Amino acid sequence: MFSKTRVTETRSQQSTATSAPETSAPATPAPERPTESAPAASRMRNTPSVLSSDLKVSGNISTDGDIQIEGNVEGDIRAHQLVIGESATIKGEIVGDDVVVNGRVIGRVRGLKVRLTATARVEGDIIHKTIAIESGAHFEGSVQRQEDPLANGGTKKLAAPTAS
């Protein structure tokens, strides 16, 4: 088993520690070390970046992590998990794996999982894999389900119905 100090050692300490003979625990094989730090990296990813309500951004925002926006953004936003706060106004396209809208969005929303809460105000199209719209949400636009809405920016147009 691992001792607590071995798991929390820095890389330079690990290289010196493995060269010295140990009697309490066997040396850990090198391929297993990246998996020891993987849970720490995923814990850091779960902490969202927050843009406060007094912040105004003009330009695009892109991250592989999570973001919560309480201020105003004029530009496109791309994130893993994206939460639009009640006081936020977004003018641009929103793209994310998990999108929760509590505030106002003027533009297209694309996400694998999209949720409009009761305080949401959306003016634009929504392209999703799954969607939830709470009672009280205001939505003006079209809704389209796609198996992979993040694959590309273009929406597929449905074929016109044929007369039978």
Side-chain angles (χ1 to χ4, degrees), residues 84-86 88-90 101-106 119-123:
I84 307 300
E86 286 186 36
T89 299
I90 311 301
V101 180
N102 298 305
R104 186 172 184 197
V105 176
I106 302 168
T119 58
R121 307 288 179 260
V122 177
E123 298 173 32

Side-chain angles (χ1 to χ4, degrees), residues 7 27 33 42 64 77 79 84 103 110 136 149:
V7 172
R33 289 187 189 188
S42 65
D64 290 332
I77 304 170
I84 307 300
R110 289 192 296 137

Side-chain angles (χ1 to χ4, degrees), residues 6 9 11-22 27-28 33:
R6 177 175 275 293
E9 288 175 341
R11 190 145 212 46
S12 61
Q13 291 171 333
Q14 287 175 346
S15 61
T16 33
T18 54
S19 62
E22 289 184 29
T28 306
R33 289 187 189 188

Side-chain angles (χ1 to χ4, degrees), residues 82-86 94 99-105 109 114-122 126 137:
L82 178 60
V83 177
I84 307 300
E86 286 186 36
I94 293 175
V99 178
V100 179
V101 180
N102 298 305
R104 186 172 184 197
V105 176
V109 177
V114 176
R115 182 165 60 114
L116 305 184
T117 65
T119 58
R121 307 288 179 260
V122 177
I126 298 176

Side-chain angles (χ1 to χ4, degrees), residues 71-142:
N72 296 324
V73 176
E74 288 191 29
D76 299 341
I77 304 170
R78 181 185 234 12
H80 174 261
Q81 181 182 34
L82 178 60
V83 177
I84 307 300
E86 286 186 36
S87 61
T89 299
I90 311 301
K91 293 181 181 177
E93 182 179 41
I94 293 175
V95 180
D97 292 342
D98 189 2
V99 178
V100 179
V101 180
N102 298 305
R104 186 172 184 197
V105 176
I106 302 168
R108 184 165 56 177
V109 177
R110 289 192 296 137
L112 295 175
K113 183 174 154 185
V114 176
R115 182 165 60 114
L116 305 184
T117 65
T119 58
R121 307 288 179 260
V122 177
E123 298 173 32
D125 299 339
I126 298 176
I127 302 160
H128 64 90
K129 185 171 183 180
T130 62
I131 189 166
I133 303 176
E134 293 181 4
S135 178
H138 289 253
F139 170 65
E140 191 175 318
S142 67

